[in-house]
Amino acid sequence: MKTQPLPQITGELALTSELKPPQASLSSETKRILYLLAACIALTMTGYGIAMPVFAKRIGELGSGVQALGLMTMSFAFAQFLLSPFMGSFADRFGRRPLILIALAGEVIANGAYLYAQSVPLYIAIRFFQGGISAGLLPATLGVVGDRVPEAQRAQWTGVIMASYAAGFIFGPALGGLLFDHWGYAAPFAVSGILAFLALVLALVMVPETRPASSRVQKLNPIAGQTKWREIWASLPRPIYLFATLLLIDFIATFAFAFIEPQMALYFYNQLLLTPTQLGLIVGGYGLTTLLGQAFLGKLSDRHGRKPVMILGLLLTSALYLGLIFVTSFGLLFPVAVLSGLGDALFIPAIAASYLDIAEQEHISRVMGIKGSVAALAGVVGPLLVAIISPWTSPASIFAISAAATLVAILLALLVLKGRSNIEGRKEQVQPIPSSQ
């Protein structure tokens, strides 16, 4: 049973700088690979963000509305929920690089298909394909982090990777709106496809395989007599209760935001009477803080332990839900959104690094695929549930439910993630990372 990483996740006793062993610096090759992957993801997600504002307009032109948009969103998330664990297993079995290339190629195909789609069912089908084909991108990319980065620096580099995702969602929609206003719906999809193609070429030419060949061969020969489900069960991180707790915390955190998102925009416009510019500033402030925070503050949980940083992140994230209940002016909502974005910037790298800490090396991408599947499920359940209860529930009650759910996640982290620091158990962190030949 792998018990060594547990102390760092729980953070019961943060190691001081005097007690921590010196960290081995990453090789220049490893840094190059990680920055290239971050660039590929930023290009792809910018393209993804470019297309987002266009969907509502295009669906409207085809005679449909909110229901069709909801089905598109749910089809994407449902595909990711179904396929993320299998895509993660694929990356463990055959290597990280093939899955990254498949996901990027799928984005190129999907954007090309959008250009020729002339019906709502076809748009929904393409979104399902896009969700499924891209489901392995994050598990494979974080698998590279697990392959090449020592435990003491994983949250830092996870933050860099996750910041590249945030960059696309921040800058893409504005560019997409500009392209649509000047050249129509085809321009955003064309530019999105071009960016995905550039990312594909960059990855194809410059990103090597990081999964050792011997490990891939070993995975192709499972233990004799072991069924598929037993093999999956055996691959899950131990102790199981810790893995299950991380998944539950992840689900709650994702659900809490997905639950308020449909209500939030309507609340801003209809009850607080904010302008689109003010809403854009709030969303932009939140997103930019998350982006910069993940890029520069991800390493905090490497230094102070996963548990305290996760809890602090959840506390700050809850500021948004409480602020929506008690704050009614733009001047106060903007700093509340920034504070919440800072919370996400602390929480996301810390919990992602926690999975990497407890996963066995040969099952990293499968574990991250399961994490992605749980997050996708939360992304489906949140909007679906709020759509069901919103006719009988006030906006304040909806925001309060998300705040209460976040409190449950904080209590889970406080009560379940327990342990003690162990300096000797962290020796593997200071070993140099070998360069691939």
Side-chain angles (χ1 to χ4, degrees):
M1 183 170 67
K2 187 174 181 183
T3 58
Q4 168 264 326
L6 180 57
Q8 194 171 10
I9 295 173
T10 59
E12 288 290 299
L13 176 62
L15 295 173
T16 65
S17 58
E18 292 80 14
L19 292 176
K20 286 181 71 174
Q23 294 184 5
S25 60
L26 293 184
S27 68
S28 58
E29 182 190 16
T30 296
K31 290 181 179 179
R32 177 181 65 82
I33 292 170
L34 294 172
Y35 281 129
L36 282 170
L37 280 174
C40 291
I41 290 172
L43 284 172
T44 305
M45 291 300 108
T46 299
Y48 181 84
I50 285 172
M52 290 305 292
V54 182
F55 286 132
K57 290 284 188 180
R58 183 60 178 157
I59 291 299
E61 291 175 358
L62 295 174
S64 295
V66 175
Q67 185 179 19
L69 285 173
L71 288 173
M72 286 180 65
T73 301
M74 290 182 62
S75 66
F76 182 91
F78 187 63
Q80 294 222 320
F81 165 67
L82 289 178
L83 296 177
S84 285
F86 300 102
M87 292 293 196
S89 297
F90 184 99
D92 287 329
R93 186 179 293 261
F94 299 108
R96 320 299 187 200
R97 188 170 184 268
L99 201 59
I100 291 171
L101 296 178
I102 288 171
L104 296 176
E107 289 290 334
V108 177
I109 294 170
N111 281 286
Y114 285 132
L115 284 171
Y116 297 99
Q118 297 296 324
S119 68
V120 171
L122 188 54
Y123 267 90
I124 294 171
I126 296 170
R127 283 292 283 167
F128 183 86
F129 166 80
Q130 190 176 26
I133 201 71
S134 64
L137 182 59
L138 184 60
T141 303
L142 292 180
V144 173
V145 176
D147 292 339
R148 302 299 296 262
V149 179
E151 190 176 306
Q153 300 176 51
R154 282 177 180 166
Q156 175 185 351
W157 287 98
T158 298
V160 171
I161 296 296
M162 299 308 294
S164 66
Y165 270 86
F169 285 107
I170 292 171
F171 303 116
L175 181 57
L178 182 66
L179 290 169
F180 179 84
D181 288 340
H182 286 79
W183 294 284
Y185 83 92
F189 292 128
V191 172
S192 180
I194 290 170
L195 290 177
F197 180 75
L198 290 175
L200 174 62
V201 172
L202 188 63
L204 184 65
V205 174
M206 302 189 71
V207 176
E209 178 57 61
T210 61
R211 185 93 168 103
S214 58
S215 299
R216 283 176 269 147
V217 171
Q218 183 178 2
K219 276 298 296 171
L220 288 172
N221 297 284
I223 299 172
Q226 192 176 52
T227 67
K228 181 64 176 177
W229 289 111
R230 286 184 179 180
E231 189 266 330
I232 292 174
W233 176 258
S235 71
L236 298 180
R238 298 303 195 267
I240 287 292
Y241 83 87
L242 179 59
F243 180 51
T245 301
L246 290 174
L247 289 175
L248 184 55
I249 292 172
D250 223 345
F251 178 89
I252 292 172
T254 305
F255 166 84
F257 187 82
F259 183 70
I260 69 158
E261 194 172 10
Q263 177 67 66
M264 185 170 59
L266 294 174
Y267 176 71
F268 282 153
Y269 283 140
N270 298 337
Q271 294 184 246
L272 300 188
L273 304 179
L274 298 186
T275 66
T277 299
Q278 289 173 323
L279 177 58
L281 287 172
I282 289 173
V283 174
Y286 173 91
L288 189 60
T289 305
T290 302
L291 164 64
L292 296 176
Q294 288 185 115
F296 296 105
L297 300 179
K299 59 187 176 184
L300 286 180
S301 75
D302 291 330
R303 295 180 178 179
H304 304 295
R306 312 292 188 219
K307 175 181 175 179
V309 175
M310 284 169 55
I311 291 172
L312 177 60
L314 289 169
L315 283 169
L316 293 177
T317 300
S318 67
L320 177 63
Y321 313 135
L322 297 174
L324 289 170
I325 298 173
F326 298 109
V327 176
T328 58
S329 69
F330 168 76
L332 292 177
L333 280 171
F334 181 79
V336 165
V338 169
L339 194 64
S340 183
L342 179 61
D344 264 352
L346 295 175
F347 173 77
I348 293 171
I351 195 166
S354 299
Y355 290 105
L356 295 177
D357 290 343
I358 63 174
E360 295 290 348
Q361 189 70 26
E362 62 268 28
H363 302 304
I364 286 177
S365 287
R366 172 180 285 172
V367 169
M368 300 312 294
I370 294 172
K371 165 188 159 50
S373 180
V374 167
L377 178 63
V380 173
V381 172
L384 184 61
L385 184 59
V386 77
I388 293 172
I389 71 170
S390 58
W392 302 279
T393 311
S394 68
S397 298
I398 290 173
F399 304 144
I401 290 171
S402 286
T406 306
L407 177 60
V408 171
I410 293 170
L411 291 174
L412 278 171
L414 282 170
L415 298 176
V416 180
L417 303 183
K418 295 181 180 179
R420 294 172 298 191
S421 278
N422 179 358
I423 298 173
E424 291 184 2
R426 297 157 62 112
K427 289 180 181 178
E428 71 175 15
Q429 296 178 23
V430 300
Q431 301 301 318
I433 303 301
S435 298
S436 60
Q437 299 300 319

Coordinates of all heavy atoms in Angstrom, one line a residue, residues 346-412:
L346 N -6.1 28.6 -5.7 CA -5.5 27.8 -4.6 C -6.0 26.3 -4.6 O -5.2 25.4 -4.5 CB -5.7 28.4 -3.3 CG -5.1 29.8 -3.0 CD1 -5.5 30.4 -1.7 CD2 -3.6 29.8 -3.1
F347 N -7.3 26.2 -4.7 CA -7.9 24.9 -4.6 C -7.6 23.9 -5.7 O -7.2 22.7 -5.5 CB -9.4 25.0 -4.4 CG -10.2 23.7 -4.4 CD1 -10.2 22.9 -3.3 CD2 -10.8 23.3 -5.6 CE1 -10.9 21.7 -3.3 CE2 -11.5 22.1 -5.6 CZ -11.5 21.3 -4.4
I348 N -7.7 24.4 -7.0 CA -7.6 23.5 -8.1 C -6.2 22.8 -8.2 O -6.1 21.6 -8.4 CB -7.9 24.3 -9.4 CG1 -9.4 24.6 -9.4 CG2 -7.6 23.4 -10.6 CD1 -9.8 25.6 -10.5
P349 N -5.1 23.5 -8.2 CA -3.8 22.8 -8.2 C -3.5 21.9 -7.0 O -2.9 20.9 -7.2 CB -2.7 24.0 -8.2 CG -3.5 25.2 -8.7 CD -4.9 25.0 -8.2
A350 N -4.0 22.3 -5.8 CA -3.8 21.5 -4.6 C -4.5 20.2 -4.7 O -3.9 19.1 -4.4 CB -4.2 22.3 -3.4
I351 N -5.8 20.2 -5.1 CA -6.5 18.9 -5.2 C -6.0 18.0 -6.4 O -5.9 16.8 -6.2 CB -8.0 19.1 -5.2 CG1 -8.7 17.8 -4.9 CG2 -8.5 19.7 -6.6 CD1 -10.2 17.9 -4.6
A352 N -5.6 18.7 -7.5 CA -5.1 17.9 -8.6 C -3.8 17.2 -8.2 O -3.5 16.1 -8.5 CB -4.9 18.8 -9.8
A353 N -2.9 18.0 -7.5 CA -1.6 17.4 -7.1 C -1.9 16.3 -6.0 O -1.1 15.3 -5.9 CB -0.8 18.5 -6.5
S354 N -3.0 16.4 -5.3 CA -3.3 15.3 -4.3 C -3.5 14.0 -5.0 O -3.1 13.0 -4.5 CB -4.5 15.8 -3.5 OG -4.3 16.9 -2.8
Y355 N -4.3 14.0 -6.1 CA -4.5 12.8 -6.8 C -3.2 12.2 -7.4 O -2.9 11.0 -7.3 CB -5.4 13.1 -8.0 CG -6.8 13.3 -7.7 CD1 -7.3 14.6 -7.8 CD2 -7.7 12.3 -7.3 CE1 -8.7 14.9 -7.5 CE2 -9.0 12.6 -7.1 CZ -9.5 13.9 -7.1 OH -10.8 14.2 -6.9
L356 N -2.3 13.1 -7.9 CA -1.0 12.7 -8.4 C -0.2 12.0 -7.2 O 0.6 11.1 -7.5 CB -0.2 13.8 -9.0 CG -0.9 14.4 -10.3 CD1 0.0 15.6 -10.8 CD2 -1.0 13.4 -11.4
D357 N -0.3 12.6 -6.1 CA 0.5 12.1 -4.9 C 0.1 10.7 -4.6 O 1.0 9.9 -4.2 CB 0.3 13.0 -3.7 CG 0.9 14.4 -3.8 OD1 1.7 14.6 -4.7 OD2 0.5 15.3 -3.1
I358 N -1.2 10.3 -4.6 CA -1.6 9.0 -4.1 C -1.7 8.0 -5.2 O -1.8 6.8 -4.9 CB -2.9 9.1 -3.3 CG1 -4.0 9.6 -4.2 CG2 -2.8 10.0 -2.1 CD1 -5.4 9.5 -3.5
A359 N -1.7 8.4 -6.5 CA -1.8 7.5 -7.6 C -0.5 6.7 -7.8 O 0.6 7.3 -7.7 CB -2.2 8.2 -8.9
E360 N -0.6 5.4 -8.1 CA 0.5 4.6 -8.5 C 1.0 5.1 -9.9 O 0.2 5.5 -10.7 CB 0.2 3.1 -8.6 CG -0.2 2.5 -7.3 CD 1.0 2.4 -6.3 OE1 2.1 2.5 -6.8 OE2 0.8 2.1 -5.1
Q361 N 2.3 5.1 -10.1 CA 2.8 5.7 -11.3 C 2.2 5.1 -12.6 O 1.9 5.8 -13.6 CB 4.4 5.4 -11.4 CG 5.1 6.1 -12.5 CD 5.2 7.6 -12.2 OE1 5.1 8.1 -11.1 NE2 5.3 8.4 -13.3
E362 N 1.9 3.8 -12.6 CA 1.4 3.2 -13.8 C -0.1 3.5 -14.0 O -0.7 3.1 -15.1 CB 1.6 1.7 -13.8 CG 0.9 0.9 -12.7 CD 1.8 0.8 -11.4 OE1 2.7 1.7 -11.3 OE2 1.6 -0.2 -10.7
H363 N -0.8 4.1 -13.1 CA -2.2 4.4 -13.2 C -2.6 5.9 -13.1 O -3.7 6.2 -12.8 CB -3.0 3.6 -12.1 CG -2.7 2.1 -12.2 ND1 -3.0 1.4 -13.3 CD2 -2.3 1.3 -11.2 CE1 -2.7 0.1 -13.0 NE2 -2.3 0.0 -11.8
I364 N -1.6 6.7 -13.3 CA -1.8 8.2 -13.0 C -3.0 8.7 -13.9 O -3.9 9.4 -13.5 CB -0.5 9.0 -13.3 CG1 0.4 8.8 -12.1 CG2 -0.8 10.5 -13.4 CD1 1.7 9.5 -12.3
S365 N -2.9 8.4 -15.2 CA -3.9 9.0 -16.1 C -5.3 8.4 -15.9 O -6.3 9.1 -16.1 CB -3.5 8.8 -17.6 OG -2.4 9.6 -17.9
R366 N -5.3 7.1 -15.5 CA -6.7 6.6 -15.2 C -7.3 7.3 -14.0 O -8.5 7.6 -14.0 CB -6.5 5.1 -14.9 CG -7.8 4.5 -14.4 CD -7.7 3.0 -14.1 NE -7.7 2.2 -15.3 CZ -7.4 0.9 -15.4 NH1 -7.1 0.2 -14.3 NH2 -7.5 0.3 -16.5
V367 N -6.5 7.5 -13.0 CA -7.0 8.2 -11.8 C -7.4 9.6 -12.2 O -8.5 10.1 -11.7 CB -5.9 8.3 -10.7 CG1 -6.2 9.2 -9.6 CG2 -5.6 6.9 -10.2
M368 N -6.6 10.3 -13.0 CA -7.0 11.7 -13.4 C -8.3 11.6 -14.3 O -9.1 12.6 -14.3 CB -5.9 12.4 -14.1 CG -4.6 12.6 -13.3 SD -4.9 13.2 -11.6 CE -5.5 14.9 -11.9
G369 N -8.4 10.6 -15.1 CA -9.6 10.4 -15.9 C -10.9 10.2 -15.0 O -11.9 10.8 -15.3
I370 N -10.7 9.5 -13.9 CA -11.9 9.3 -13.0 C -12.2 10.7 -12.3 O -13.4 11.0 -12.2 CB -11.5 8.3 -11.9 CG1 -11.4 6.9 -12.5 CG2 -12.6 8.2 -10.8 CD1 -10.8 5.8 -11.6
K371 N -11.2 11.4 -12.0 CA -11.4 12.8 -11.5 C -12.2 13.6 -12.5 O -13.1 14.3 -12.1 CB -10.1 13.4 -11.2 CG -10.1 15.0 -11.0 CD -8.8 15.6 -10.8 CE -8.8 17.1 -11.1 NZ -9.8 17.8 -10.4
G372 N -11.8 13.6 -13.8 CA -12.4 14.3 -14.8 C -13.9 13.9 -15.0 O -14.8 14.7 -15.2
S373 N -14.1 12.6 -14.9 CA -15.5 12.0 -15.0 C -16.4 12.6 -13.9 O -17.5 12.9 -14.1 CB -15.4 10.5 -15.0 OG -16.7 10.0 -15.1
V374 N -15.8 12.6 -12.7 CA -16.6 13.1 -11.5 C -16.9 14.6 -11.7 O -18.1 15.0 -11.4 CB -15.9 12.8 -10.2 CG1 -16.5 13.6 -9.1 CG2 -15.8 11.3 -9.9
A375 N -16.0 15.3 -12.2 CA -16.2 16.8 -12.4 C -17.2 17.0 -13.5 O -18.1 17.9 -13.4 CB -14.9 17.5 -12.8
A376 N -17.2 16.2 -14.6 CA -18.1 16.3 -15.6 C -19.5 15.9 -15.1 O -20.5 16.6 -15.5 CB -17.8 15.4 -16.8
L377 N -19.7 14.9 -14.3 CA -21.0 14.6 -13.7 C -21.5 15.7 -12.9 O -22.7 16.1 -13.0 CB -20.8 13.3 -12.8 CG -22.1 12.9 -12.1 CD1 -23.1 12.5 -13.2 CD2 -21.8 11.7 -11.2
A378 N -20.7 16.4 -12.1 CA -21.1 17.5 -11.3 C -21.6 18.7 -12.3 O -22.5 19.4 -11.9 CB -20.0 18.0 -10.4
G379 N -20.9 18.8 -13.4 CA -21.3 19.8 -14.4 C -22.6 19.6 -15.0 O -23.2 20.5 -15.5
V380 N -23.0 18.3 -15.0 CA -24.4 18.0 -15.5 C -25.4 18.1 -14.5 O -26.5 18.7 -14.7 CB -24.4 16.5 -16.1 CG1 -25.8 16.1 -16.5 CG2 -23.5 16.4 -17.3
V381 N -25.1 17.6 -13.3 CA -26.1 17.6 -12.2 C -26.4 19.0 -11.7 O -27.6 19.3 -11.5 CB -25.6 16.7 -11.0 CG1 -26.5 16.8 -9.8 CG2 -25.4 15.2 -11.4
G382 N -25.4 19.9 -11.6 CA -25.7 21.2 -11.1 C -26.7 22.0 -11.9 O -27.8 22.4 -11.4
P383 N -26.5 22.2 -13.2 CA -27.5 22.9 -14.0 C -28.9 22.2 -14.1 O -29.9 22.9 -14.1 CB -26.9 23.0 -15.4 CG -25.4 22.9 -15.1 CD -25.3 21.9 -14.0
L384 N -28.8 20.9 -14.1 CA -30.1 20.1 -14.2 C -30.9 20.3 -13.0 O -32.1 20.6 -13.0 CB -29.8 18.6 -14.5 CG -31.0 17.7 -14.7 CD1 -31.8 18.1 -15.9 CD2 -30.5 16.3 -14.8
L385 N -30.2 20.3 -11.8 CA -31.0 20.4 -10.5 C -31.5 21.8 -10.4 O -32.7 22.0 -9.9 CB -30.0 20.0 -9.4 CG -30.7 20.0 -8.0 CD1 -31.8 19.1 -7.9 CD2 -29.6 19.7 -6.9
V386 N -30.7 22.8 -10.7 CA -31.2 24.2 -10.5 C -32.4 24.5 -11.5 O -33.3 25.2 -11.2 CB -30.1 25.2 -10.7 CG1 -29.7 25.4 -12.2 CG2 -30.4 26.5 -10.1
A387 N -32.3 23.8 -12.7 CA -33.5 24.0 -13.6 C -34.8 23.4 -13.0 O -35.8 24.0 -13.3 CB -33.1 23.4 -15.0
I388 N -34.6 22.4 -12.3 CA -35.8 21.7 -11.7 C -36.4 22.5 -10.5 O -37.6 22.7 -10.4 CB -35.4 20.3 -11.2 CG1 -35.1 19.4 -12.4 CG2 -36.6 19.7 -10.4 CD1 -34.5 18.0 -12.1
I389 N -35.5 23.1 -9.7 CA -36.0 23.7 -8.4 C -36.2 25.2 -8.6 O -36.8 25.8 -7.7 CB -35.1 23.4 -7.2 CG1 -33.7 24.1 -7.4 CG2 -34.8 21.9 -7.1 CD1 -32.9 24.0 -6.1
S390 N -35.6 25.8 -9.6 CA -35.6 27.3 -9.7 C -37.0 27.9 -9.7 O -37.2 29.0 -9.2 CB -34.8 27.8 -10.9 OG -35.3 27.2 -12.1
P391 N -38.0 27.2 -10.3 CA -39.4 27.8 -10.3 C -39.9 28.0 -8.9 O -40.8 28.9 -8.7 CB -40.2 26.9 -11.1 CG -39.3 26.2 -12.0 CD -38.0 26.0 -11.2
W392 N -39.5 27.2 -7.9 CA -40.0 27.3 -6.6 C -39.0 27.8 -5.6 O -39.2 27.8 -4.4 CB -40.4 25.9 -6.1 CG -41.5 25.3 -7.0 CD1 -42.8 25.6 -7.0 CD2 -41.3 24.4 -8.1 NE1 -43.5 24.9 -8.0 CE2 -42.5 24.1 -8.7 CE3 -40.1 23.7 -8.6 CZ2 -42.7 23.3 -9.8 CZ3 -40.3 22.9 -9.7 CH2 -41.5 22.6 -10.3
T393 N -37.8 28.3 -6.0 CA -36.7 28.7 -5.2 C -36.3 30.1 -5.5 O -36.1 30.4 -6.7 CB -35.6 27.7 -5.2 OG1 -36.1 26.4 -5.1 CG2 -34.5 28.0 -4.1
S394 N -36.0 30.9 -4.5 CA -35.5 32.3 -4.8 C -34.0 32.2 -5.1 O -33.3 31.2 -4.8 CB -35.6 33.1 -3.5 OG -34.8 32.7 -2.5
P395 N -33.4 33.2 -5.8 CA -32.0 33.2 -6.1 C -31.2 33.1 -4.8 O -30.1 32.4 -4.8 CB -31.8 34.6 -6.8 CG -33.1 34.8 -7.4 CD -34.1 34.3 -6.5
A396 N -31.5 33.8 -3.8 CA -30.8 33.8 -2.5 C -30.7 32.3 -2.0 O -29.6 31.9 -1.5 CB -31.4 34.7 -1.5
S397 N -31.8 31.6 -2.1 CA -31.8 30.2 -1.6 C -30.8 29.3 -2.5 O -30.2 28.5 -1.9 CB -33.2 29.6 -1.7 OG -34.1 30.4 -0.8
I398 N -30.8 29.6 -3.8 CA -29.9 28.8 -4.6 C -28.5 29.1 -4.3 O -27.6 28.2 -4.2 CB -30.2 29.2 -6.1 CG1 -31.6 28.6 -6.5 CG2 -29.1 28.7 -7.0 CD1 -32.0 29.0 -7.9
F399 N -28.1 30.4 -4.0 CA -26.8 30.7 -3.7 C -26.4 30.1 -2.3 O -25.3 29.7 -2.1 CB -26.6 32.2 -3.6 CG -26.9 32.9 -4.9 CD1 -27.6 34.2 -4.9 CD2 -26.7 32.3 -6.2 CE1 -27.9 34.8 -6.1 CE2 -27.0 32.9 -7.4 CZ -27.6 34.2 -7.3
A400 N -27.4 30.1 -1.4 CA -27.2 29.5 -0.1 C -26.9 28.0 -0.1 O -26.1 27.5 0.6 CB -28.4 29.8 0.8
I401 N -27.6 27.3 -1.1 CA -27.3 25.9 -1.2 C -25.9 25.6 -1.6 O -25.2 24.7 -1.1 CB -28.3 25.3 -2.2 CG1 -29.7 25.3 -1.7 CG2 -27.9 23.9 -2.7 CD1 -30.8 24.9 -2.7
S402 N -25.4 26.5 -2.5 CA -24.0 26.3 -3.0 C -23.0 26.6 -1.8 O -22.0 25.9 -1.6 CB -23.7 27.2 -4.2 OG -24.2 26.7 -5.3
A403 N -23.3 27.6 -1.0 CA -22.5 27.9 0.1 C -22.5 26.8 1.1 O -21.4 26.4 1.7 CB -23.0 29.2 0.8
A404 N -23.7 26.2 1.4 CA -23.8 25.1 2.3 C -23.0 23.9 1.8 O -22.3 23.2 2.5 CB -25.2 24.7 2.5
A405 N -23.1 23.6 0.5 CA -22.4 22.5 -0.1 C -20.9 22.7 0.1 O -20.1 21.7 0.4 CB -22.7 22.4 -1.6
T406 N -20.4 23.9 -0.1 CA -19.0 24.2 0.0 C -18.5 24.0 1.5 O -17.4 23.5 1.7 CB -18.6 25.6 -0.4 OG1 -19.1 25.8 -1.8 CG2 -17.1 25.9 -0.4
L407 N -19.4 24.4 2.4 CA -19.1 24.1 3.8 C -19.0 22.6 4.1 O -18.1 22.2 4.9 CB -20.2 24.7 4.7 CG -20.1 24.5 6.2 CD1 -18.8 25.1 6.8 CD2 -21.3 25.0 6.9
V408 N -19.8 21.8 3.5 CA -19.7 20.3 3.6 C -18.3 19.9 3.1 O -17.7 19.0 3.8 CB -20.8 19.6 2.9 CG1 -20.6 18.1 2.8 CG2 -22.2 19.9 3.5
A409 N -17.9 20.4 2.0 CA -16.6 20.0 1.4 C -15.4 20.4 2.4 O -14.5 19.7 2.6 CB -16.3 20.7 0.1
I410 N -15.6 21.6 3.0 CA -14.5 22.0 4.0 C -14.5 21.1 5.2 O -13.4 20.7 5.7 CB -14.8 23.5 4.4 CG1 -14.6 24.4 3.2 CG2 -14.0 23.9 5.6 CD1 -15.1 25.9 3.5
L411 N -15.7 20.7 5.7 CA -15.8 19.8 6.8 C -15.2 18.5 6.5 O -14.5 17.8 7.3 CB -17.2 19.7 7.3 CG -17.8 20.9 8.0 CD1 -19.3 20.7 8.2 CD2 -17.1 21.3 9.2
L412 N -15.4 18.0 5.3 CA -14.9 16.7 4.9 C -13.3 16.8 4.9 O -12.7 15.9 5.4 CB -15.3 16.4 3.5 CG -16.7 15.7 3.3 CD1 -17.1 15.6 1.9 CD2 -16.7 14.3 4.0

